[in-house]
């Protein structure tokens, strides 16, 4: 049985728990999801971690009372091979942890960088990451009303979704403005990098938990089973 922690900081946490359950079912894996609220819950029994999206500044403030973020970062420093999926604000935390931690991913991130009119949109992405086979993502359709997203700006419009594209949901998303050679670019919005992998850390500027495509959650489970 693998144990996956979800940092319950703020933002889209429950959706990650659900996506992980579905991914585990799709893969026939047995997963226990631990909703992490205190630093003391971060211990050696946690095999992998999700850092959800939300508002990173609020997360930093919210985590002060239970020192959750400090616990998360010290767990990551202690178990560098254990996989972590950071989405949106979670990606910001991986790149810019603060609290005197070195970045876990060597990218420069600019917060809310799509500009005021363009902060939320959906677009198909090209994914350059080997993930275990998907069984049901084809049945998922983007719901344009659910989050009241702004349409994609003209300059960023992309070709119709191919069967391999990923439904990218960007909500006040950050942008990677510089990446290092240590990072592998694994998710692209046209020519823009929106997902990077460095060792066991995967940082996405979008929200995979808000789609029915569980490729990235399956990636996490797959990485843990390889570590076991
Ligand atoms: N804009 C948020 C931040 O700066 C991130 C947005 C998100 O996670 N959806 O933290």
């Amino acid at each position: 049985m693998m144990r996956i922690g979800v940092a319950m900081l703020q933002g889209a946490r429950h959706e990650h728990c659900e996506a992980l359950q579905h991914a585990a079912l799709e893969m026939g894996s047995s997963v226990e999801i631990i909703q992490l609220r205190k630093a003391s819950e971060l211990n050696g029994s946690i095999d992998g971690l999700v850092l959800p999206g939300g508002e990173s500044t609020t997360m930093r403030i919210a985590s002060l009372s239970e020192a959750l973020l400090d616990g998360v970062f010290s767990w990551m420093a202690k178990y560098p091979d254990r996989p972590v999926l950071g989405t949106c604000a979670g990606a910001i935390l991986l790149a810019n942890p603060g609290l005197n931690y070195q970045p876990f991913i060597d990218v420069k991130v600019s917060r809310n960088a799509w500009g005021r009119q363009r902060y939320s949109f959906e677009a198909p992405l090209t994914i350059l990451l080997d993930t275990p086979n998907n069984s049901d993502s084809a049945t998922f359709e983007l719901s344009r009303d659910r989050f009241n997203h702004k349409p994609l700006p003209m300059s960023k419009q992309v070709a119709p979704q191919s069967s391999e594209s990923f439904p990218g949901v960007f909500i006040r998303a950050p942008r990677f403005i510089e990446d290092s050679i240590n990072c592998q670019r694994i998710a692209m919005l046209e020519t823009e990098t929106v997902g990077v992998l460095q060792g066991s850390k995967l940082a996405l500027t979008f929200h995979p938990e808000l789609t029915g495509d569980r490729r990235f959650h399956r990636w996490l489970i797959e990485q843990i089973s390889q570590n076991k």
Side-chain angles (χ1 to χ4, degrees):
M1 164 79 85
M2 52 183 92
R3 301 180 89 230
I4 303 181
V6 177
M8 303 303 276
L9 286 160
Q10 183 257 344
R13 313 151 276 187
H14 300 284
E15 292 83 352
H16 271 295
C17 298
E18 218 170 284
L20 285 167
Q21 296 286 13
H22 280 282
L25 267 179
E26 287 168 12
M27 297 170 76
S29 304
S30 186
V31 165
E32 186 185 352
I33 294 169
I34 317 292
Q35 300 193 354
L36 301 165
R37 294 193 167 82
K38 299 181 204 162
S40 59
E41 292 162 335
L42 271 297
N43 56 43
S45 75
I46 304 290
D47 300 306
L49 196 66
V50 174
L51 293 179
E55 184 54 50
S56 54
T57 311
T58 311
M59 288 177 171
R60 293 186 203 275
I61 295 166
S63 100
L64 289 177
S65 61
E66 299 293 347
L68 181 58
L69 269 185
D70 201 4
V72 161
F73 298 145
S74 89
W75 178 90
M76 288 200 278
K78 189 165 177 192
Y79 303 103
D81 295 336
R82 302 197 185 179
V84 179
L85 171 62
T87 60
C88 208
I92 297 171
L93 295 174
L94 284 174
N96 180 17
L99 298 173
N100 291 325
Y101 288 89
Q102 291 297 313
F104 294 96
I105 286 221
D106 298 326
V107 284
K108 284 212 175 101
V109 184
S110 174
R111 294 181 56 205
N112 305 324
W114 290 96
R116 233 188 265 167
Q117 297 306 314
R118 316 181 161 186
Y119 49 54
S120 302
F121 60 90
E122 299 177 351
L125 308 177
T126 306
I127 305 302
L128 312 162
L129 176 73
D130 278 342
T131 50
N133 277 339
N134 192 3
S135 52
D136 71 348
S137 68
T139 60
F140 175 76
E141 278 180 29
L142 288 176
S143 107
R144 295 209 165 264
D145 301 332
R146 198 161 37 131
F147 304 104
N148 206 10
H149 293 141
K150 299 268 186 303
L152 197 59
M154 282 312 284
S155 61
K156 282 287 163 198
Q157 280 192 357
V158 283
Q161 209 169 322
S162 82
S163 58
E164 285 169 17
S165 71
F166 189 94
V169 176
F170 294 81
I171 304 172
R172 303 237 238 182
R175 290 174 96 159
F176 296 133
I177 46 176
E178 211 179 296
D179 56 357
S180 86
I181 48 161
N182 301 331
C183 299
Q184 193 187 333
R185 298 171 174 173
I186 56 90
M188 306 298 294
L189 169 61
E190 290 192 332
T191 54
E192 169 146 349
T193 306
V194 291
V196 292
L197 175 68
Q198 186 173 334
S200 60
K201 311 290 183 293
L202 186 52
L204 309 175
T205 60
F206 51 98
H207 284 263
E209 77 285 5
L210 300 180
T211 74
D213 191 326
R214 260 93 51 173
R215 247 178 277 180
F216 294 104
H217 296 87
R218 287 202 305 275
W219 170 85
L220 189 71
I221 293 171
E222 175 78 1
Q223 296 304 301
I224 294 173
S225 56
Q226 282 174 16
N227 279 354
K228 285 254 174 202

